[in-house]
């Protein structure tokens, strides 16, 4: 968590024929990191599977959305963000969505929830980042964090991550998906279809791709790319793909070069 006072603001965005709209909404794009890769045995180690970005259990309220773009009014210009886009679309009940676009410019964030008690959280520090979260079903949780390093705070510095693409799609119930991207020009994609699947991607690299596809129930997938925490990455061009079809599968990939 960056040590800076954050502005809390709430905005509920909804689509209605009574409001004029323009442009084309971004869609979930097919990304396959398997193409062009020779299969290699992953390094299997014990890994913590908990999703650290889960939101609190929903209160007895209807849908709730929070969108925060930039810093507090009156902050120095280098702390402010411009030309950011945020879209939240909620259908159902008890859904929660939080989207924070900090400091940078030209970011795009979309959170679409259809069902009950789904939770999506995205925090972006940097510019030209895209975060997509699609949830259909019940009790799904999705978290995205885009940054360069964590902990310290130096406004407008190279500590922010740029040009990253992080997307999550959950169809079913009780799925958990977490993406943490630290670096520049990375792609992370998680697609879950089933029940009680857990997926986690952590990237501390640049110009790299990680994809995870889970079709079934009770599957666990973990991908870790890159180096040491809180150190700006110098690792480039990592690629990882996990695909699980069935039940109760577990896969761990670690790429540290």
């Amino acid at each position: 968590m960056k040590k800076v006072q954050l502005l809390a603001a709430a905005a509920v965005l909804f689509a209605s024929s009574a409001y004029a709209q323009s442009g084309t909404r971004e869609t979930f794009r097919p990304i396959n990191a398997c193409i062009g890769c020779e299969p290699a045995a992953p390094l299997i180690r014990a890994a913590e599977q908990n999703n650290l970005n889960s939101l609190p259990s929903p209160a007895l309220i209807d849908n709730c959305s929070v969108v925060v773009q930039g810093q507090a009014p009156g902050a120095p210009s280098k702390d402010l963000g411009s030309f950011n886009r945020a879209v939240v679309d909620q259908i159902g009940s008890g859904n929660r969505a939080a989207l924070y676009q900090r400091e940078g410019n030209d970011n795009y964030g979309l959170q679409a929830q259809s069902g009950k008690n789904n939770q999506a959280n995205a925090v972006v520090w940097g510019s030209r980042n895209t975060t997509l979260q699609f949830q259909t079903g019940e009790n799904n949780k999705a978290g995205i964090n885009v940054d360069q390093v964590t902990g310290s705070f130096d406004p407008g510095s190279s500590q922010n991550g740029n040009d990253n693409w992080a997307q999550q799609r959950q169809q079913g119930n009780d799925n958990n998906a977490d993406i943490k991207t630290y670096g520049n020009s990375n792609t992370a994609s998680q697609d879950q279809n089933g029940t009680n699947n857990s997926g986690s991607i952590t990237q501390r690299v640049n110009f790299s791709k990680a994809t995870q596809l889970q079709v079934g129930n009770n599957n666990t997938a973990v991908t870790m790319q890159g180096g040491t925490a809180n150190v700006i990455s110098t690792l480039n061009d990592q690629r990882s793909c996990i695909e699980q079809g069935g039940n109760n599968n577990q896969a761990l990939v670690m790429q540290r070069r």
Side-chain angles (χ1 to χ4, degrees), residues 187-233:
T187 302
S189 177
Q190 294 200 107
D191 196 355
Q192 297 174 317
N193 191 333
T195 299
N196 199 35
N197 295 298
S198 174
S200 175
I201 294 174
T202 300
Q203 296 176 306
R204 297 186 184 277
V205 290
N206 303 310
F207 300 98
S208 297
K209 288 184 174 64
T211 63
Q212 296 186 161
L213 170 64
Q214 297 171 307
V215 179
N217 306 317
N218 302 306
N219 296 300
T220 299
V222 177
T223 297
M224 302 177 66
Q225 296 176 315
T228 307
N230 266 18
V231 175
I232 294 178
S233 178

Side-chain angles (χ1 to χ4, degrees), residues 51 53-58 93-97 112-121 133-143 168-178 191-198 214 216:
N51 178 10
N53 281 348
S54 60
L55 294 171
S57 299
S93 62
N95 298 299
R96 290 188 173 190
Q113 298 172 311
S114 177
K116 296 181 180 180
N117 302 322
N118 297 297
Q119 300 183 34
N121 186 39
Q133 294 171 305
F134 301 89
Q135 296 174 312
T136 302
E138 299 182 4
N139 302 312
N140 297 299
K141 298 181 178 68
Q168 297 169 319
R169 180 169 59 182
Q170 297 173 308
Q171 302 175 87
N173 304 320
D174 301 301
N175 297 298
N176 286 272
D178 182 42
D191 196 355
Q192 297 174 317
N193 191 333
T195 299
N196 199 35
N197 295 298
S198 174
Q214 297 171 307

